[in-house]
C-alpha cells in the first residue's frame, strides 16, 4: 500500500518468521485484507458487496466442484444425473439448490457492487483499471452462468443454448459457420453440452484470477469512499482488519440469512418450471426467457424489431446487447466530471435516481415479459434512455453541472469540521 | 475520442430503436393483435391448499399413500414415474416388506436383455428399481409425472385443477372464436395451456378408487391426493429441506446478531 | 516501522482506545471481548458444520446403498460348478462343492493354515456344500480364476489368482502365495433352498 502510515507485518513466532523469509504469504494477506491495508473510515454498507461477491465465487466453486462429482455431461443422461443428485446423493439437493440460487445471489451482489460504482463514480481516475477488470469479470460471469444453465439439459437449457449461440449467427457472412462451430453441430447436442461443461468448470478459475488482478489494482490507489475525496491523512483511514472484517462479517450474516431463506424455503422461485422438462429439440416452450439476471440485456436484444436501413434487426439487437455492456468499459472517459461522488452532483444524481434506476427496473421487468405489446414498445423506450444515459447524458452532465461543495477531508465528512480540525492539526508520520 | 464517438454511437442506437418503436406503434394501431381463445379462456389453477405448503408445511403421509393409490390405479397405465424408485416409497410410511410387495406386484415389468443370447424379456420389479417406463401408443404423449408439479407454475394446484377441470366447451367461446372448436379426439379443459388436450378426464366419478383408510373417494379428494403425491415425487426431500432450513436460519440469526454487536464494539471509538 | 503511525492503527491499540473510553472498567472490557470471541466462535462453528454435508456427499448415495443386497437363484448350479454373481459391483463366487472337495478341505488341520478357518466355519450349517465368497483376492484385489468353466483352479483345486500367484483351496482358504487372508465370506442367508440373499 502506498500510505506511509500503513501498519507493517511483524511475524509473531519462529514459524511465521521462517515462513516470512521463505514465502511471505501471511505478510501478503496482512497487507491485502489485514491490518496492513488502511481503508477510508467512512465506507457505508454499499462497500460490503465486493467481499460478498468474493464469497459467492467461493460458494459457487465449492458447490460446483461437488456437483461435478455426480453430474454426467451427456445429453442422454444429464437430466437424469441432476435428478440423481436431487434424490439420491447425500445432501445433493442442498448442493444443487445452493449452486443454482448461488448464481442468482452472485448476480444480485455484483449488480449492487456495480451500481455502487455507478453512483460513486468508482471508475474514475486513478481507478480506471479496477473498473475495466471489473467489467471483464462481469462478462466472464455472464458466460459462465449461461453455460451453467445449459448443463441440466432441460427445455430452457436447450433452447437457451440454441438462442444464445444463434446470436452469433447474426454476424454477417461468418455468422452461421461460427454458430455451428460453437455448437460442434447443427443444434445443441452432446458436443455442445460437453464443451459447455468443460468451460463452465474452467471459467470460474479464470474469474478468480481476474479478481486477484482487480484487488491488486485496487491496492494501488486504495479504496474509494462515499465522499469521493481522496485520503489525506492517517485520521481518514482505519485498518481493514478489524474494522472492515467486522463490518463485512455482519454484512455476510445478513446476506446468508436472505440467501438461505430462499435456498431452503423457495429454491425454485427464481428458476423456470420449464427447465424441469427434459430437453426436447422438437418442441420450443411457449415462452422462453433466460435466467432473471439476463433480463435487461434480453430486453435490449428484443427491442430491435425492424431492419434499420441495410442492418437487419437481428444484427442490431445483438450489437446493442453486447454494446450495452461494452459501453461500461468507456465510462471512465465518458463521465469527465472532476467530482466523484453522486452526493455532490445534483444533476447527475437526478439522472441516476430518476433515469437510470427506473430504466433498469423497466428493462428487468420487460426482459421477463412475453415478446408482445406493450412490453416491446416499453423496452424500446427504456433502451433508448439506457444508451442515451451512458453515451449522451453523462458526458453532457459532466460539462454543464455545478457540483456542490465537497468536504475538506474524509474525517471532516465523518466527524464534522471542529473535531477533524483537531485531528488534522496533529502532524502525521511522514 | 471517446467523448466524440460515444454520443454518436448513442445516437445511432437511439435512432434505430426509435425506428423500431415507430414501426411497432404504427403496426399496433393499424392491425392490433387479435385476441386468441387461449388468451381469453385459459384459467389459472384453482386455489388449492396442500399440507406441504408454506415454510412450516409437511407432507401428510396418509394423503401421500392415498395419492399413490390413485396414481397406481388411475394414472400409471399411461404415465411413467421414472425418477422415482420403489425404495423411495418407504418415505410414505410403507414398511420394507410392503415396498417389496408393491414392487413385485407392479403391473409394468422391468425389461431385461440377455447380452449373451440377445433375448429380451421381463422380470418383476425389485425395491431398488425405478418405476418402469410406460409406453403409450395412442394419441398424445403422456408426460412422465415424476417432476410434473415442478415443471408447471403452481404445480400441485395445477394438476388438481386440471383433473377436475374438464367441462363442455362454453358456448360463449364458440360464438367468439368459431374456429376454436375442440377437435375430435381432444377434450376441453380451461386449465390446460391451449385449452384442448388428448387425455380424457381420468377421474370420472366418485368412488373410482376405494381407499383403504376409509376416506371418502370424491373426485376432488382423489384429485387433491394424487396431486399431493406428485408434489412428493417431484421434491421428496421437501421435509428435510425445511427442517434443515429452520436450523440454519436459527443459527444464522444468532451469528448475525453477534456479528453486529462485535462490529459495534470494534467501531465504538471511530464514530 | 513508524512507531507513531503504526501504534495508532494497531488492533491492540484500537482495544486500548476502547478501554480508555470505558474508563478501564474491567468488566466492560471482558463483556466486549466476550462478544467478539463469541462472534468468531460462531463463525467457526458454522464453518465446521458446513463441512459435514461437503464430506458426506462423497459417501455412497441412496441408489448405491439400495443395491447393497442381492438375491441370487442358485437352483441351476450343479455339484462341482460355480457361478460368478455381482454383489456391490464386485464379483462373488457361489460354488456347489462336490463331496470330494468337501473332504479335501476337511482333511487339512485348519490350525496349520495361514488364516485358520474350517470349511464349516465358512459355510452355513447343513449347507456345507454351498461355498459363497467374494471373488476378490485378499492380496491386492484382483479377481481369482477358478469359478468359470475351464479356468485354472490352482494347486489346491480351489481358486488361483494370476496377478501375483495366490492359491486358494476348495474352501477358498489361502494356501500359497502372497495373499494374507482367505477369500472373504460376505454376509448372506438362505431365503429358501434355492435363493440366497447376499448382504
Amino acid at each position: 500500500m502506498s500510505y506511509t502510515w500503513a501498519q507493517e507485518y511483524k511475524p509473531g513466532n519462529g514459524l511465521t518468521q521462517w515462513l516470512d523469509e521463505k514465502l511471505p504469504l501471511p505478510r501478503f494477506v496482512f497487507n491485502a485484507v489485514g491490518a496492513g491495508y488502511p481503508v477510508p473510515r467512512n465506507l457505508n454498507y454499499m462497500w460490503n458487496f465486493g467481499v460478498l461477491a468474493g464469497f459467492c465465487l467461493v460458494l459457487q466453486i465449492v458447490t460446483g466442484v461437488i456437483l461435478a462429482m455426480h453430474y454426467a455431461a451427456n445429453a442422454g443422461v444429464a437430466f437424469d444425473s441432476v435428478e440423481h443428485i436431487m434424490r439420491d446423493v447425500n445432501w445433493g439437493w442442498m448442493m444443487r439448490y445452493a449452486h443454482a440460487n448461488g448464481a442468482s445471489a452472485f448476480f444480485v451482489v455484483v449488480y449492487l457492487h456495480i451500481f455502487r460504482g455507478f453512483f460513486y463514480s468508482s471508475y474514475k481516475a486513478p481507478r480506471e483499471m479496477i473498473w475495466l477488470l471489473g467489467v471483464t469479470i462481469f462478462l466472464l460471469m455472464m458466460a459462465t452462468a449461461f453455460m451453467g444453465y445449459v448443463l441440466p439439459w432441460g427445455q430452457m437449457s436447450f433452447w437457451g443454448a440454441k438462442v444464445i449461440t444463434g446470436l452469433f449467427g447474426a454476424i454477417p457472412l461468418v455468422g452461421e459457420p461460427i454458430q455451428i462451430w460453437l455448437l460442434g453441430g447443427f443444434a445443441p447436442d452432446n458436443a455442445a453440452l460437453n464443451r459447455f461443461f468443460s468451460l463452465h468448470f474452467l471459467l470460474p478459475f479464470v474469474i478468480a484470477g481476474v479478481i486477484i488482478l482487480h484487488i491488486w489494482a485496487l491496492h494501488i490507489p486504495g479504496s474509494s469512499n462515499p465522499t469521493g475525496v481522496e485520503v489525506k491523512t492517517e485520521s481518514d483511514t482505519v485498518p481493514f482488519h478489524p474494522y472492515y472484517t467486522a463490518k463485512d462479517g455482519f454484512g455476510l450474516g445478513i446476506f446468508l440469512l436472505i440467501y438461505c431463506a430462499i435456498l431452503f424455503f423457495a429454491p425454485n422461485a427464481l428458476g423456470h418450471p420449464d427447465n424441469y422438462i427434459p430437453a426436447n429439440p422438437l418442441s420450443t416452450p411457449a415462452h422462453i426467457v433466460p435466467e432473471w439476471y439476463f433480463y435487461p440485456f434480453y430486453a435490449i436484444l428484443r427491442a430491435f424489431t425492424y431492419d434499420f436501413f441495410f442492418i437487419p434487426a437481428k444484427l442490431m439487437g445483438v450489437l446493442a446487447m453486447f454494446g450495452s455492456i461494452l459501453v461500461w468499459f468507456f465510462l471512465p472517459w465518458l463521465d469527465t466530471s472532476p467530482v466523484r461522488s453522486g452526493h455532490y452532483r445534483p444533476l447527475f444524481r437526478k439522472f441516476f435516481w430518476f433515469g437510470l434506476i427506473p430504466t433498469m427496473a423497466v428493462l428487468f421487468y420487460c426482459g421477463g415479459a412475453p415478446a408482445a405489446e406493450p412490453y416491446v414498445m416499453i423496452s424500446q423506450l427504456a433502451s433508448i434512455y439506457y444508451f442515451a444515459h451512458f453515451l449522451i447524458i453523462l458526458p453532457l452532465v459532466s460539462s454543464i453541472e455545478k457540483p456542490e461543495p465537497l468536504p475538506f477531508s474524509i474525517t471532516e465528512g465523518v466527524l464534522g469540521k471542529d473535531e477533524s480540525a483537531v485531528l488534522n492539526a496533529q502532524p502525521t508520520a511522514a | 475520442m471517446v467523448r466524440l464517438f460515444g454520443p454518436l454511437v448513442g445516437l445511432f442506437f437511439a435512432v434505430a430503436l426509435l425506428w423500431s418503436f415507430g414501426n411497432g406503434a404504427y403496426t399496433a394501431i393499424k392491425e392490433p393483435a387479435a385476441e386468441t381463445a387461449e388468451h381469453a379462456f385459459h384459467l389459472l389453477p384453482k386455489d388449492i391448499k396442500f399440507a406441504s405448503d408454506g415454510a412450516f408445511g409437511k407432507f401428510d403421509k396418509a394423503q401421500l399413500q392415498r395419492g399413490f393409490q390413485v396414481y397406481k390405479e388411475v394414472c400409471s397405465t399411461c404415465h411413467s414415474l421414472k425418477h422415482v424408485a420403489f425404495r423411495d416409497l418407504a418415505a410414505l410410511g410403507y414398511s420394507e416388506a410392503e415396498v417389496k410387495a408393491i414392487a413385485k406386484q407392479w403391473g409394468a415389468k422391468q425389461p431385461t436383455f440377455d447380452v449373451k443370447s440377445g433375448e429380451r424379456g421381463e422380470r418383476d420389479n425389485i425395491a431398488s428399481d425405478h418405476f418402469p417406463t410406460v409406453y403409450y401408443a395412442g394419441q398424445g404423449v403422456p408426460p412422465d409425472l415424476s417432476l410434473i408439479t415442478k415443471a408447471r407454475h403452481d404445480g400441485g394446484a395445477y394438476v388438481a385443477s386440471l383433473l377436475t377441470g374438464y367441462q363442455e366447451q362454453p358456448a360463449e367461446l364458440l360464438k367468439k372464436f368459431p374456429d376454436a372448436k375442440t377437435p375430435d379426439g381432444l377434450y376441453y379443459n380451461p386449465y390446460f395451456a391451449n385449452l384442448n388436450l388428448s387425455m380424457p378426464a381420468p377421474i370420472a366419478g366418485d368412488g373410482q378408487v376405494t381407499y383403504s383408510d376409509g376416506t371418502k373417494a370424491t373426485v376432488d379428494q382423489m384429485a387433491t391426493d394424487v396431486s399431493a403425491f406428485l408434489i412428493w415425487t417431484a421434491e421428496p426431500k421437501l421435509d428435510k429441506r425445511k427442517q434443515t432450513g429452520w436450523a440454519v436460519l436459527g443459527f444464522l440469526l444468532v451469528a448475525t446478531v453477534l456479528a453486529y454487536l462485535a462490529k459495534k464494539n470494534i467501531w465504538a471509538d471511530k464514530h | 516501522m513508524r512507531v507513531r503511525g503504526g501504534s495508532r492503527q494497531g488492533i491492540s491499540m484500537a482495544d486500548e482506545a476502547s478501554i480508555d473510553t470505558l474508563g478501564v472498567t474491567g468488566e466492560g472490557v471482558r463483556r466486549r471481548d466476550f462478544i467478539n470471541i463469541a462472534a468468531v466462535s460462531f463463525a467457526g462453528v458454522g464453518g465446521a458444520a458446513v463441512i459435514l454435508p461437503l464430506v458426506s456427499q462423497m459417501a455412497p448415495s441412496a441408489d448405491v446403498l439400495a443395491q447393497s443386497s442381492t438375491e441370487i437363484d442358485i437352483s441351476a448350479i450343479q455339484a462341482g460348478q460355480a457361478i460368478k454373481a455381482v454383489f456391490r459391483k464386485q464379483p462373488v463366487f457361489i460354488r456347489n462343492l462336490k463331496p470330494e472337495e468337501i473332504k479335501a478341505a476337511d482333511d487339512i488341520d485348519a490350525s496349520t493354515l495361514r488364516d485358520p478357518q474350517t470349511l464349516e466355519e465358512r459355510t452355513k450349517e447343513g449347507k456345507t456344500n454351498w461355498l459363497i465368497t467374494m471373488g476378490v483376492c485378499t492380496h491386492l484385489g484382483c479377481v481369482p480364476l477358478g469359478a468359470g468353466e475351464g479356468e485354472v483352479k490352482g494347486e489346491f483345486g480351489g481358486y488361483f489368482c494370476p496377478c501375483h500367484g495366490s492359491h486358494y483351496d476348495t474352501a477358498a482358504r489361502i494356501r500359497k502365495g502372497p495373499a494374507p487372508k482367505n477369500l472373504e465370506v460376505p454376509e448372506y442367508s438362505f431365503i429358501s433352498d434355492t435363493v440366497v440373499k447376499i448382504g
Side-chain angles (χ1 to χ4, degrees), chain A residues 321-345:
Chain A
M321 188 184 76
F322 285 110
S324 63
I325 301 166
L326 294 181
V327 67
W328 296 354
F329 276 117
F330 298 94
L331 267 184
W333 299 279
L334 286 166
D335 177 3
T336 50
S337 166
V339 174
R340 292 198 185 90
S341 172
H343 285 311
Y344 306 101
R345 300 183 59 189

Side-chain angles (χ1 to χ4, degrees), chain A residues 41 87 97 243 264 307, chain B residues 19 233 235 237 267 270:
Chain A
R41 62 188 291 167
R87 289 157 195 269
Y97 280 151
Y243 290 95
F264 289 105
D307 292 355
Chain B
W19 174 250
T233 62
E235 185 86 358
K237 297 292 163 66
W267 280 86
K270 289 293 173 187

Side-chain angles (χ1 to χ4, degrees), chain A residues 9 24-37 219 240-241:
Chain A
Y9 174 71
L25 196 61
R27 176 183 295 270
F28 181 78
V29 172
F30 182 90
N31 289 335
V33 289
Y37 179 40
H219 279 66
F240 189 87
H241 180 76

Side-chain angles (χ1 to χ4, degrees), chain C residues 25-49:
Chain C
T25 53
E27 211 169 301
V29 174
R30 244 179 282 135
R31 198 182 69 86
R32 293 183 149 213
D33 284 351
F34 173 74
I35 286 171
N36 293 5
I37 291 165
V40 173
S41 311
F42 251 73
V45 169

Side-chain angles (χ1 to χ4, degrees), chain A residues 60-347:
Chain A
Q60 290 303 83
I61 289 180
V62 169
T63 52
V65 166
I66 283 170
L67 290 172
M69 291 182 190
H70 305 282
Y71 168 78
N74 176 297
V77 295
F79 189 90
D80 294 352
S81 75
V82 172
E83 277 310 307
H84 166 246
I85 290 170
M86 292 295 289
R87 289 157 195 269
D88 290 338
V89 173
N90 303 314
W91 298 99
W93 57 272
M94 191 167 88
M95 297 300 155
R96 168 152 185 263
Y97 280 151
H99 196 68
N101 288 295
S104 288
F106 201 172
F107 273 95
V108 169
V109 165
V110 163
Y111 276 128
L112 289 168
H113 193 55
I114 292 172
F115 273 81
R116 190 264 289 162
F118 283 158
F119 185 76
Y120 294 105
S121 306
S122 299
Y123 44 79
K124 277 185 192 159
R127 296 185 179 80
E128 306 98 311
M129 184 51 81
I130 312 172
W131 178 258
L132 298 180
L133 290 165
V135 179
T136 308
I137 292 169
F138 181 65
L139 287 171
L140 287 169
M141 270 177 68
M142 293 179 90
T144 311
F146 157 66
M147 286 189 281
Y149 195 53
V150 174
L151 301 185
W153 210 240
Q155 274 289 65
M156 284 297 175
S157 301
F158 179 90
W159 292 98
K162 191 151 188 173
V163 168
I164 300 298
T165 52
L167 298 181
F168 293 89
I171 304 168
L173 299 174
V174 292
E176 207 176 320
I178 286 181
Q179 187 187 349
I180 291 170
W181 173 78
L182 280 173
L183 289 173
F186 304 97
D189 200 0
N190 255 334
L193 182 58
N194 258 302
R195 67 190 58 179
F196 282 7
F197 180 50
S198 172
L199 292 172
H200 181 72
F201 206 116
L202 166 74
L203 283 182
F205 298 96
V206 177
I207 292 177
V210 184
I211 285 176
I212 289 173
L213 299 182
H214 187 65
I215 297 172
W216 185 5
L218 170 71
H219 279 66
I220 291 171
S223 297
S224 71
N225 70 83
T227 61
V229 177
E230 286 295 332
V231 168
K232 288 195 172 71
T233 62
E234 189 186 346
S235 69
D236 288 344
T237 68
V238 292
F240 189 87
H241 180 76
Y243 290 95
Y244 285 108
T245 40
K247 195 168 179 176
D248 285 333
F250 171 55
L252 183 65
I254 297 289
F255 164 81
L256 283 176
L257 274 170
I258 299 169
Y259 167 70
C260 287
I262 293 173
L263 195 171
F264 289 105
F265 296 103
N268 292 305
L270 297 169
H272 199 289
D274 280 37
N275 224 26
Y276 280 110
I277 303 172
N280 178 358
L282 302 180
S283 153
T284 312
H287 172 205
I288 68 168
V289 283
E291 285 278 78
W292 69 267
Y293 35 78
F294 292 143
Y295 282 173
F297 308 103
Y298 193 58
I300 292 174
L301 172 77
R302 291 194 305 188
F304 292 84
T305 47
Y306 284 85
D307 292 355
F308 186 56
F309 295 109
F310 55 91
I311 309 172
K314 183 179 172 185
L315 178 58
M316 273 307 297
V318 173
L319 285 178
M321 188 184 76
F322 285 110
S324 63
I325 301 166
L326 294 181
V327 67
W328 296 354
F329 276 117
F330 298 94
L331 267 184
W333 299 279
L334 286 166
D335 177 3
T336 50
S337 166
V339 174
R340 292 198 185 90
S341 172
H343 285 311
Y344 306 101
R345 300 183 59 189
L347 199 53

